Amino acid sequence: MYNDILLSGGRSFATCMVNEETGQFAETAMIFYLDELKEVSQQTNDQVKYICKHQATRRVNLKKVLNPKVWKDGSTYLKVQVEDLEDVDTEETYPDDDQLLMQVFREVVDLQDKLKEEPRFSPTLFSMFNSETNLEDEEVWSLVNLWQTLANERVGAVRKKKTDEVSRRHERYGRL
């Protein structure tokens, strides 16, 4: 996808939640704008190709997947047709909600750090937010994306732990 972004000059892409059991996509997706892209494959021996910085810019409704056959084989990313989702309360602010949201986020980060939980949020993430009482729309959506990423990482970590456990048991029984 990033190769296509570099070649086309387009710097935006959509991402949405997917129900792991049914494979169904959420109706609403977030558009991310690629602010920075740094190629680091040589420095990481091809373990990591790019380090990127994105900005959540707006929400869209997914209308149609244009290449659905690639979903099963994973040969490339999905291309979708979208429709902008108009926010109707763009001028309203919610300082009490913003403050509560940031307070809960800070408590989770502190607790994860105290428990040395993996994966976990880094305390450096607080620098992404200009205020704890009046969050900009982009900051709210960035926070939503952080939670989504953490949830996906945790699912992956649990899956790996279970797979490793099954492998260990299989090896143990194979030696009997």
Side-chain angles (χ1 to χ4, degrees):
M1 179 181 77
Y2 287 111
N3 288 332
D4 285 352
I5 286 174
L6 291 172
L7 291 173
S8 72
R11 299 180 72 85
S12 297
F13 59 93
T15 183
C16 71
M17 295 294 288
V18 178
N19 184 312
E20 291 208 20
E21 292 177 13
T22 66
Q24 183 170 346
F25 296 102
E27 293 177 10
T28 304
M30 192 71 213
I31 297 291
F32 286 88
Y33 180 80
L34 176 64
D35 287 324
E36 296 175 26
L37 182 134
K38 182 178 176 184
E39 203 276 335
V40 294
S41 58
Q42 287 183 337
Q43 296 96 310
T44 63
N45 294 323
D46 289 324
Q47 296 297 310
V48 176
K49 186 159 177 91
Y50 300 114
I51 294 178
C52 305
K53 183 177 179 184
H54 304 91
Q55 186 180 137
T57 59
R58 68 186 195 280
R59 295 181 302 155
V60 293
N61 284 329
L62 299 178
K63 290 303 192 188
K64 182 179 181 182
V65 177
L66 302 174
N67 57 344
K69 291 181 180 169
V70 302
W71 176 245
K72 289 200 190 258
D73 67 28
S75 59
T76 188
Y77 58 93
L78 292 174
K79 296 179 182 180
V80 295
Q81 183 180 43
V82 300
E83 180 179 88
D84 280 335
L85 184 67
E86 188 80 26
D87 281 328
V88 293
D89 62 351
T90 57
E91 299 302 316
E92 294 185 44
T93 61
Y94 304 92
D96 292 340
D97 293 342
D98 290 349
Q99 185 175 5
L100 179 61
L101 182 63
M102 289 306 296
Q103 178 186 339
V104 169
F105 181 59
R106 186 172 296 282
E107 289 171 4
V108 168
V109 171
D110 291 344
L111 188 58
Q112 287 176 329
D113 190 50
K114 180 180 175 182
L115 298 173
K116 303 299 182 213
E117 183 177 85
E118 292 295 339
R120 66 178 180 241
F121 289 126
S122 167
T124 61
L125 292 173
F126 294 120
S127 65
M128 292 175 55
F129 306 100
N130 295 324
S131 168
E132 292 200 10
T133 58
N134 192 18
L135 297 174
E136 298 293 325
D137 285 347
E138 304 87 47
E139 292 174 314
V140 172
W141 289 113
S142 293
L143 191 53
V144 168
N145 186 57
L146 287 171
W147 281 106
Q148 179 181 353
T149 301
L150 179 69
N152 290 336
E153 291 296 320
R154 288 188 57 117
V155 166
V158 168
R159 186 175 290 135
K160 182 182 180 328
K161 182 178 177 181
K162 293 296 182 186
T163 301
D164 292 348
E165 184 179 315
V166 167
S167 294
R168 279 193 307 276
R169 288 183 181 181
H170 185 309
E171 287 175 16
R172 189 173 22 159
Y173 289 122
R175 287 182 269 168
L176 293 177

